[in-house]
């Protein structure tokens, strides 16, 4: 029996892709929040929102995330965008 014939040498642990979470991408969150607030109408904001969703889902799909993982990442991202928009609105409304 050769050393290469041992099952231990043929075993490879399963790989799991660990994605940098969207919620930690502060620059992207601030950029999206700023652009959402800059939209002059609800329709323009909704169109931009849809474009961001499509782009993010395409990115996550290319990375190989399952649909449930994509939904989780996307939900956390939009919660963070909403929080940033609220902070930005508060900052703007407090200016004299």
């Amino acid at each position: 029996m050769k050393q290469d014939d041992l099952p231990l040498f043929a075993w490879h642990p399963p790989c799991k892709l660990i994605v940098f979470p969207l919620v930690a991408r502060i620059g992207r969150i601030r950029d999206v929040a700023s652009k959402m607030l800059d939209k002059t109408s609800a329709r323009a904001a909704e169109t931009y929102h849809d474009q961001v969703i499509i782009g993010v889902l395409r990115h996550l799909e290319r990375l190989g995330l399952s649909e449930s993982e994509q939904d989780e990442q996307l939900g956390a991202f939009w919660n963070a965008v909403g929080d940033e928009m609220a902070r930005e609105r508060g900052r703007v409304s407090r200016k004299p």
Side-chain angles (χ1 to χ4, degrees):
M1 181 188 276
K2 294 187 302 186
Q3 186 176 7
D4 294 340
D5 292 339
L6 295 174
L8 178 62
F9 294 110
W11 181 78
H12 297 285
C15 294
K16 178 169 169 122
L17 178 67
I18 300 173
V19 177
F20 188 73
L22 291 176
V23 74
R25 297 178 181 185
I26 303 301
R28 177 78 170 135
I29 290 167
R30 288 180 179 159
D31 182 56
V32 170
S34 174
K35 288 178 181 174
M36 290 288 290
L37 290 171
D38 287 346
K39 299 300 176 192
T40 56
S41 69
R43 183 174 177 161
E46 185 178 329
T47 300
Y48 178 67
H49 179 270
D50 293 344
Q51 290 171 344
V52 171
I53 288 175
I54 290 167
V56 167
L57 288 177
R58 282 183 183 158
H59 171 71
L60 295 175
E61 188 176 331
R62 278 193 311 269
L63 292 175
L65 267 65
S66 69
E67 194 171 316
S68 64
E69 290 172 317
Q70 291 177 28
D71 290 344
E72 186 179 320
Q73 288 283 322
L74 193 60
F77 175 77
W78 282 110
N79 285 337
V81 169
D83 292 346
E84 182 61 29
M85 288 172 63
R87 274 192 289 278
E88 189 61 33
R89 281 191 202 116
R91 210 176 297 152
V92 170
S93 65
R94 291 187 199 142
K95 290 184 180 178

